[in-house]
């Protein structure tokens, strides 16, 4: 993570990137490193955020502790694999644009370290692993999992045709709430649909923060986003997104019959979301990345609150 002083980061940022070539990735065989970077293994926050809506659903719906632990393990591995697959799809779509954006020009496809054909073979391998995990789930979950491929494929296109591609990302990353419900109880409950809606609102908020890292470059190359749509009015938009997230979570808990303590247990997550809206500086890319990453803790606190509400 680039942690240069925020005074340097106001306006266009020269050389700013969130790619991390150091750490454990640097210890991989040289031929493996581009693929690790292609699937964003150097930055696991995206996999965590893909995993968390599924964790919410498992926390709310799992029939017992053993089922909960088993499904959590499967979803954790599956999230890292399928997030990697989604990154490959995204970078195949965007490789020409990525070369023109400061933060992304070092990505393996954009930089020519991996060819499109090599990326497609790697994508196929990731999808095979994801399919194997999906086949361990109940059959109804198979259908739910296969349908999720539709928003996965559409998301890179959405950035070119709508100011709200973050909403399409919400449909994609939030799908785990539906899949987790299907895997737990072999149907999709009203509470499961509400968790999905809460996930979409949450993702719409936090990915708007993330998109502010690329705001200037995106405008130049024709990529659209809620960061560009709202600009200096991002804070009110973020309050609306996070307010809707909390309201939908509370409604899901009420529909599921959780105890009133769920409301109190949700307060730490609400406090973190409020802190993000107060601390946001859209002209500071490094701060935007820090605030974006805090949503892992938000998601884990929501899962804990759901578990506490079941007691």
């Amino acid at each position: 993570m680039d942690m240069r002083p925020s005074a340097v980061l106001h306006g266009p940022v020269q050389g700013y990137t969130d790619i991390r070539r150091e750490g454990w990735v640097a210890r991989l065989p040289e031929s493996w490193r581009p693929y690790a970077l292609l699937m964003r293994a150097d930055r696991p926050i995206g996999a965590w955020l893909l995993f968390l809506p599924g964790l919410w659903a498992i926390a709310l719906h799992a029939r017992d502790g053993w089922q909960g632990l088993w499904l959590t393990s499967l979803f954790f591995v599956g999230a890292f694999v399928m997030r990697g697959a989604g990154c490959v799809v995204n970078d195949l779509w965007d490789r020409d644009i990525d070369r023109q954006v400061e933060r992304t020009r070092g990505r393996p496809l954009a930089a020519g370290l991996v060819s499109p054909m090599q990326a497609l073979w790697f994508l196929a391998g990731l999808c095979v692993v994801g399919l194997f995990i999906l086949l361990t789930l109940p059959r109804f979950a198979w259908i739910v999992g296969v349908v999720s491929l539709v928003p996965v494929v559409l998301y890179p296109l959405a950035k070119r045709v709508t100011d709200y591609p973050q909403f399409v990302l919400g449909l994609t990353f939030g799908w785990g709430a539906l899949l987790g419900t299907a895997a737990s109880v072999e149907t999709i409950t009203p509470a499961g649909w509400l968790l999905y809606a809460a996930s979409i609102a949450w993702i719409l908020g936090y990915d708007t923060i993330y998109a502010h890292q690329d705001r200037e470059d995106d405008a130049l190359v024709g990529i659209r986003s809620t960061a560009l749509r709202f600009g200096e009015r991002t804070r009110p938009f973020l309050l609306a997104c996070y307010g809707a997230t909390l309201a939908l979570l509370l409604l899901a808990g009420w529909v599921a019959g959780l105890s009133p303590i769920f409301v109190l247990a949700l307060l730490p997550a609400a406090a973190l979301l409020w802190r993000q809206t107060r601390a946001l500086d859209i002209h500071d890319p490094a701060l935007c990345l820090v605030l974006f990453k805090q949503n892992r803790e938000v998601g884990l606190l929501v899962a804990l609150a759901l578990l506490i509400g079941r007691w």
Side-chain angles (χ1 to χ4, degrees):
M1 186 194 330
D2 190 338
M3 292 301 291
R4 291 169 291 176
S6 61
V8 179
L9 292 169
H10 284 272
V13 181
Q14 299 300 318
Y16 177 72
T17 179
D18 55 2
I19 296 172
R20 300 182 63 186
R21 301 181 187 277
E22 69 279 3
W24 71 271
V25 171
R27 293 193 287 272
L28 293 173
E30 187 173 353
S31 61
W32 292 15
R33 292 173 202 164
Y35 296 96
L37 295 174
L38 181 60
M39 68 178 296
R40 314 286 199 273
D42 58 317
R43 288 160 290 155
I45 182 61
W48 275 103
L49 294 174
L50 180 61
F51 164 67
L52 287 165
L55 181 64
W56 294 359
I58 294 166
L60 185 62
H61 291 101
R63 294 190 177 99
D64 55 51
W66 288 114
Q67 185 199 40
L69 288 173
W70 170 246
L71 290 177
T72 297
S73 300
L74 289 177
F75 273 60
F76 186 77
V77 176
F80 276 78
V81 171
M82 295 314 297
R83 185 262 188 153
C87 289
V88 176
V89 171
N90 183 79
D91 287 6
L92 283 166
W93 275 88
D94 288 354
R95 61 188 184 275
D96 293 331
I97 292 174
D98 283 345
R99 296 186 185 105
Q100 304 173 60
V101 176
E102 190 69 42
R103 186 178 60 85
T104 60
R105 65 181 55 180
R107 288 178 176 176
L109 274 163
L113 301 175
V114 174
S115 72
M117 184 55 66
Q118 289 172 322
L120 285 170
W121 278 111
F122 185 55
L123 174 63
L126 291 172
C127 288
V128 167
V129 176
L131 178 62
F132 177 78
I133 293 172
L134 181 64
L135 292 178
T136 65
L137 302 178
R139 289 193 177 185
F140 179 68
W142 299 357
I143 300 171
V144 177
V146 169
V147 175
S148 71
L149 295 176
V150 175
V152 168
V153 172
L154 290 179
Y155 170 64
L157 177 63
K159 294 185 288 186
R160 295 163 170 82
V161 300
T162 176
D163 289 339
Y164 295 88
Q166 281 68 35
F167 177 76
V168 182
L169 184 70
L171 296 176
T172 306
F173 264 50
W175 201 271
L178 300 181
L179 187 59
T181 304
S184 299
V185 294
E186 299 185 47
T187 188
I188 299 178
T189 65
W193 284 110
L194 288 166
L195 286 181
Y196 183 47
S199 300
I200 294 170
W202 179 44
I203 294 162
L204 186 57
Y206 72 57
D207 201 59
T208 298
I209 296 175
Y210 187 81
H212 273 293
Q213 295 177 95
D214 302 328
R215 190 177 64 254
E216 292 86 0
D217 285 336
D218 284 349
L220 290 173
V221 300
I223 291 296
R224 299 161 72 174
S225 72
T226 47
L228 284 168
R229 175 69 177 80
F230 291 97
E232 298 291 342
R233 295 176 291 124
T234 292
R235 183 171 284 111
F237 177 69
L238 201 59
L239 282 169
C241 290
Y242 286 166
T245 300
L246 294 169
L248 288 163
L249 286 171
L250 290 170
L251 185 57
W254 179 74
V255 168
L258 299 186
S259 70
I261 199 173
F262 172 62
V263 178
L264 295 176
L266 199 58
L267 288 177
L272 277 181
L273 292 175
W274 170 252
R275 181 177 179 274
Q276 286 179 40
T277 64
R278 298 301 301 165
L280 179 65
D281 178 355
I282 66 171
H283 302 292
D284 188 334
L287 176 62
C288 287
L289 184 60
V290 169
L291 296 177
F292 165 77
K293 287 182 175 182
Q294 287 178 1
N295 283 282
R296 181 183 66 172
E297 284 66 41
V298 171
L300 290 171
L301 287 170
V302 169
L304 180 61
L306 290 164
L307 284 173
I308 290 172
R310 293 185 65 177
W311 290 349

